[in-house]
Amino acid sequence: MNPPKTDARRRHDPEIRGFASDNYAGAHPEVLAALALANGGHQIAYGEDDYTDHLQQVIRGHFGASAEAFPVFNGTGANVVALQALTDRWGAVICAESAHINVDEGGAPERMGGLKLLTVPTPEGKLTPELIDRQAYGWDDEHRAMPQVVSITQNTELGTVYTPDEVRAICEHAHAHGMKVHLDGARIANAAASLDVPMRAFTNAVGVDVLSFGGTKNGALFGEAVVVLNRDAVSHMKHLRKLSMQLASKMRFVSVQLEALLAKDLWLSNARHANEMAQRLAEGVRAVHGVEILHPVQANAVFARLPHDVSERLQKRYRFYFWDEAAGDVRWMCAFDTTEDDVDGFVAALKEEMAR
């Protein structure tokens, strides 16, 4: 049978690379192959398909026998659904001031989820029990939103990584106050690769109740999942997912991507490579006089400070974002498909612009 005719054609140069976001990368070839395998024929819609059923086994292999995955479209959706499932209508969520749920989700947790975010300034983007206590009070005060959840990001928005012991301390502290713990794992694979431990070592093994599992930044085309680790901590997940417009009718195409990443070690090899490229980038940048690396490079992000005019010229050659434009701070991200030549070319361009 001849393939159907199409007028679709490539409209971009696949050789162009940037350092703006790991979301800029395409899908891993093994993920695309898995999507093709899942195509054809009819499968039951809304998650009753064979691929979503098998994904549960794969997820339990990583996160324990009681884990349950609820695939969703995107990371913001995963976070909003997860936090709604952990809170009452009067509930609040303690998070770092730099947290993605606070800074980069367009107010969705508050506007769509109806949650109050109680933020805390954090060094290197990481919460501690002591920092949590700045907002962990007033449970009986009807004039204040009730703190019910602590949300942490692994790895953090500043590219730093919580150790398992640090997450355990947060979980024990939160649980002692009757609060639950959510982990935003948009880059959970990069954190596990950095720590060289299984993902369970800093999630279910140390007390995390619910996880937003990220696939897109790790080589998926689209799709994430809410992974419930403690079923006693949540309520009505299925209904909340639908209510939040995150229930995919053809869910097999989300589930099979996550399976392709997780069934073997593709998730880990992708993350290790991205992290290694970030280390290579950091090493190259450190040799450039006048450029300062701002935070420990522990995953696939490099934060740096350099003259504003240099960044503007460099952005015309490679895409990347300012993190704090007034201060001259920028963020450079590496992805699963970043190459050594990409990094070396960028460092050479940086040196040229700094010398002008």
Side-chain angles (χ1 to χ4, degrees), residues 20-355:
S21 173
D22 34 12
N23 284 325
Y24 278 40
H28 192 280
E30 290 186 36
V31 171
L32 292 177
L35 281 164
L37 286 172
N39 198 25
H42 287 199
Q43 279 274 287
I44 304 174
Y46 301 111
E48 294 185 52
D49 60 274
D50 293 337
Y51 297 93
T52 303
D53 179 65
H54 183 66
L55 176 63
Q56 303 302 330
Q57 299 178 40
V58 175
I59 285 289
R60 287 167 190 150
H62 286 279
F63 298 105
S66 63
E68 185 174 8
F70 294 84
V72 296
F73 289 114
N74 54 48
T76 297
N79 287 336
V80 171
V81 171
L83 293 174
Q84 283 181 296
L86 291 167
T87 54
D88 296 311
R89 289 185 63 192
W90 50 87
V93 178
I94 298 173
C95 64
E97 193 173 67
S98 59
H100 198 273
I101 59 174
N102 182 53
V103 176
D104 291 304
E105 295 188 348
E110 295 181 316
R111 294 176 63 87
M112 305 302 295
L115 305 163
K116 173 66 176 175
L117 299 181
L118 303 173
T119 64
V120 182
T122 56
E124 310 295 359
K126 295 165 71 171
L127 284 172
T128 64
E130 294 74 22
L131 289 173
I132 289 168
D133 280 345
R134 294 187 183 183
Q135 293 284 11
Y137 63 90
W139 287 278
D140 293 325
D141 183 355
E142 66 268 34
H143 301 287
R144 187 172 195 267
M146 182 186 292
Q148 292 187 318
V149 177
V150 174
S151 180
I152 61 175
T153 312
Q154 178 75 314
N155 44 274
T156 75
E157 285 73 19
L158 299 182
T160 53
V161 175
Y162 288 95
T163 67
D165 285 343
E166 287 173 330
V167 179
R168 184 192 302 276
I170 287 170
C171 291
E172 290 178 351
H173 192 72
H175 292 157
H177 285 293
M179 297 186 293
K180 302 162 188 174
V181 178
H182 163 257
L183 189 145
D184 180 351
R187 296 185 176 94
I188 187 174
N190 300 92
S194 176
L195 293 166
D196 196 24
V197 299
M199 291 182 286
R200 71 175 70 90
F202 54 83
T203 54
N204 55 299
V206 294
V208 172
D209 296 297
V210 174
L211 159 71
S212 296
F213 180 85
T216 309
K217 292 177 172 64
N218 192 227
L221 181 64
F222 65 92
E224 323 279 296
V226 178
V227 181
V228 177
L229 304 173
N230 175 11
R231 297 190 185 187
D232 293 334
V234 304
S235 62
H236 303 292
M237 267 296 309
K238 291 173 64 174
H239 296 86
L240 283 170
R241 179 173 58 178
K242 177 66 173 181
L243 179 67
S244 301
M245 299 168 284
Q246 289 292 319
L247 178 64
S249 57
K250 298 182 181 181
M251 196 181 294
R252 59 171 150 159
F253 296 111
V254 180
S255 299
V256 75
Q257 294 180 74
L258 300 178
E259 178 188 347
L261 290 171
L262 289 169
K264 294 183 179 178
D265 286 334
L266 183 59
W267 68 275
L268 184 57
S269 61
N270 283 353
R272 279 177 174 163
H273 177 78
N275 290 0
E276 288 168 1
M277 292 302 98
Q279 289 295 334
R280 186 182 185 92
L281 176 58
E283 289 171 9
V285 167
R286 287 190 183 99
V288 181
H289 179 72
V291 180
E292 176 189 1
I293 291 180
L294 299 174
H295 306 294
V297 180
Q298 296 177 339
N300 63 323
V302 178
F303 290 81
R305 181 173 295 159
L306 60 158
H308 191 279
D309 60 325
V310 173
S311 291
E312 288 189 321
R313 293 196 302 270
L314 192 57
Q315 283 177 324
K316 296 176 181 178
R317 303 171 66 173
Y318 290 88
R319 283 295 300 268
F320 62 89
Y321 293 117
F322 280 101
W323 190 255
D324 182 342
E325 190 166 2
D329 299 350
V330 299
R331 186 191 73 169
W332 298 319
M333 297 296 304
C334 295
F336 75 90
D337 63 348
T338 303
T339 68
E340 292 183 355
D341 287 344
D342 295 335
V343 172
D344 296 345
F346 179 80
V347 172
L350 173 62
K351 289 178 179 178
E352 291 172 7
E353 297 300 342
M354 286 293 292

